[in-house]
Amino acid sequence: MPNKKTSLFIKRFKSIANDSIWSIAALILLNVVSQFIIYPIWARKYGDEIYGNIIYAISIINIFSISIGIATNYARMAESSKRTTINGDYNRLIFPISFVAAALCFFILLIGDTNIHLVDAAFAGGLCFFTILRYYADVEYRLSLNYKGYFIYYASISAGYILGILLLYIFDIWALVLLPGEIVGLILVWKKGTIFKKDIFHISPYFKDNCHAILLLIATNFITQFIYNGDRILLQSLLGGVAVTTYYLASLVGKTMSLITTPFNSVIIGYLSRYKGKFTKKIIHVLFGITLVVILVGTIAGVLGSYIIISILYPKNIDSTKQYFLIANLSSVSYFVSNIVTTILLRIAEVKCQLKINIIYAITFFAFCIPAILGSGLLGFNYAVLATNILRYGLSIIYCYKSIRCENMVEENI
């Protein structure tokens, strides 16, 4: 018979596994609909050059929406480990910031060298606004560890995307495909939840501290997302839309796998916010070993999956993309594994550690990638991105060990 401690561990493991399954299933559904239904429709409808421009526009939207929405979400989850959070502390900040981000997105797309017209840019700005709120709004389910509700939330968004396909063919505005899904998700949270209904603008005595934490995380995430999506921005600027399409398809499976880290990280931060135990060097050893295995297995799966999926969905592009499958997937997997490590780092170290990592990451990205594009084109760029992603992973692991060592030194002095 298992003892009480073992039974508690098994129960906790089953709970985390169950929540992870619901969470991952939600995002897999969302990304299957977007990556393997909507994106191929765009490609077939508009051709490589315009499709590359759309991918560029989506990259701009993602930089703003993920940086702001996820940062506010994670800041609230981290704060919930200390005290009960108040809706107004987060709503008072995210609504005006979302509006500013949407306006910036509109102007960037309108004046950029992408041939995006006024109406398309306006709808893209609206999409940016609602996507920011959608990324934040799943905190409704994460605070209560309600991952079945989390799945329903993202299933509703996916259904909205399917509806948007009809709007695309009626109005010929590419952003209309995604806009209904984001709005449907927010309506669901507004009707069933509390974050947009109860004390929506009421603030706590900790409002300034929470704003500081949110803005610091936004800055940190902005650097990460600018680089993660900056590959397509640089390629668009220096090599054109066709290069964007080739690179996007080569890294499609790897980046799709990386999207799984968002729901997995949501489970991790949810449970870490309630974990009061001590992190040890042995735990980091295990983490390091597991992440290396994930990088190896994920890369192999990504390469095999790329040959299958690109051959089926984009048969005319397989010859131009297959030479990049290995390096692009290794790069993407290294990136999403480092995201898992930095999520754990958020719990065991100060937020500024992530900012330091990402500043170094940003500097090396531009220092490596711009000369690589100019000197060796798309192939050189792939190698440069791989180098920066491996560097970020290594720095994240090093900071984990450093944080544990500093924590132990403080306890010894006490």
Side-chain angles (χ1 to χ4, degrees):
M1 291 290 290
N3 59 37
K4 185 176 180 180
K5 187 175 182 180
T6 302
S7 298
L8 184 61
F9 173 80
I10 293 172
K11 183 178 180 181
R12 177 63 61 86
F13 177 80
K14 286 182 177 179
S15 178
I16 293 174
N18 183 63
D19 290 342
S20 297
I21 290 170
W22 279 111
S23 185
I24 291 171
L27 268 294
I28 286 177
L29 175 62
L30 183 76
N31 286 292
V32 164
V33 171
S34 60
Q35 300 287 343
F36 302 128
I37 297 178
I38 292 171
Y39 281 44
I41 288 174
W42 279 335
R44 288 192 295 270
K45 182 174 174 59
Y46 294 111
D48 283 354
E49 184 66 33
I50 296 178
Y51 180 56
N53 294 339
I54 293 173
I55 297 299
Y56 167 77
I58 291 293
S59 298
I60 300 296
I61 292 170
N62 284 341
I63 288 171
F64 287 117
S65 60
I66 297 176
S67 298
I68 299 169
I70 293 291
T72 310
N73 190 313
Y74 278 27
R76 184 162 189 175
M77 290 300 300
E79 179 69 7
S80 70
S81 67
K82 305 171 188 175
R83 58 182 69 92
T84 301
T85 55
I86 303 298
N87 290 330
D89 284 4
Y90 303 91
N91 292 336
R92 278 203 183 188
L93 197 61
I94 196 168
F95 278 100
I97 289 180
S98 299
F99 180 80
V100 172
L104 286 173
C105 179
F106 166 74
F107 285 113
I108 289 170
L109 295 179
L110 191 62
I111 66 177
D113 186 21
T114 57
N115 296 318
I116 292 179
H117 301 299
L118 176 65
V119 173
D120 285 326
F123 274 93
L127 178 62
C128 180
F129 177 82
F130 287 108
T131 305
I132 292 171
L133 296 179
R134 186 261 287 178
Y135 273 110
Y136 166 66
D138 72 35
V139 78
E140 176 74 45
Y141 306 100
R142 296 170 63 201
L143 283 169
S144 59
L145 301 180
N146 177 15
Y147 288 100
K148 288 184 180 178
Y150 184 94
F151 176 82
I152 294 171
Y153 174 67
Y154 278 100
S156 301
I157 295 169
S158 301
Y161 286 176
I162 297 296
L163 173 64
I165 295 172
L166 178 63
L167 298 180
L168 172 68
Y169 283 100
I170 294 174
F171 298 102
D172 196 25
I173 299 172
W174 62 264
L176 272 179
V177 179
L178 302 178
L179 199 55
E182 313 295 18
I183 294 173
V184 166
L186 292 171
I187 291 174
L188 180 66
V189 170
W190 175 69
K191 288 184 67 69
K192 301 291 186 180
T194 61
I195 63 170
F196 295 139
K197 189 182 298 182
K198 182 181 178 182
D199 297 327
I200 185 170
F201 293 122
H202 177 73
I203 62 173
S204 75
Y206 304 100
F207 176 64
K208 289 185 178 180
D209 292 337
N210 290 333
C211 285
H212 179 265
I214 293 167
L215 293 174
L216 190 57
L217 272 179
I218 288 175
T220 302
N221 284 1
F222 186 85
I223 294 170
T224 307
Q225 289 304 314
F226 185 79
I227 296 171
Y228 183 69
N229 294 280
D231 47 16
R232 285 155 279 183
I233 295 172
L234 276 180
L235 289 174
Q236 175 72 36
S237 302
L238 299 178
L239 296 179
V242 175
V244 175
T245 299
T246 301
Y247 177 76
Y248 168 75
L249 295 179
S251 59
L252 173 61
V253 175
K255 289 201 171 186
T256 301
M257 288 193 295
S258 76
L259 295 170
I260 295 174
T261 59
T262 301
F264 187 64
N265 285 350
S266 75
V267 177
I268 291 174
I269 196 69
Y271 279 93
L272 287 181
S273 67
R274 299 188 177 195
Y275 176 67
K276 307 302 180 184
K278 179 183 176 183
F279 284 84
T280 65
K281 189 179 290 187
K282 183 178 179 180
I283 291 175
I284 306 303
H285 287 336
V286 172
L287 172 67
F288 184 37
I290 291 174
T291 54
L292 288 177
V293 172
V294 171
I295 289 173
L296 176 62
V297 174
T299 300
I300 294 171
V303 171
L304 295 176
S306 294
Y307 275 101
I308 296 169
I309 291 171
I310 301 304
S311 296
I312 295 172
L313 296 180
Y314 303 91
K316 68 175 184 177
N317 300 100
I318 185 67
D319 290 334
S320 62
T321 57
K322 63 184 180 182
Q323 62 178 310
Y324 305 113
F325 283 165
L326 176 59
I327 188 169
N329 280 283
L330 177 58
S331 178
S332 296
V333 173
S334 300
Y335 175 84
F336 86 68
V337 168
S338 70
N339 276 350
I340 295 173
V341 179
T342 55
T343 298
I344 295 172
L345 189 62
L346 185 63
R347 171 63 176 78
I348 63 178
E350 295 181 359
V351 174
K352 64 182 181 182
C353 287
Q354 293 201 28
L355 184 59
K356 291 178 182 177
I357 291 170
N358 288 328
I359 288 174
I360 296 171
Y361 182 44
I363 292 171
T364 55
F365 177 82
F366 290 106
F368 290 176
C369 292
I370 293 176
I373 293 175
L374 297 176
S376 304
L378 188 55
L379 182 62
F381 176 74
N382 272 275
Y383 279 106
V385 173
L386 174 62
T388 57
N389 285 338
I390 290 177
L391 174 65
R392 182 172 182 257
Y393 165 73
L395 285 173
S396 301
I397 291 291
I398 289 170
Y399 266 100
C400 281
Y401 279 111
K402 185 178 178 180
S403 299
I404 293 299
R405 190 161 58 248
C406 290
E407 184 179 297
N408 291 340
M409 289 176 62
V410 169
E411 289 183 356
E412 288 174 3
N413 290 334
I414 291 175

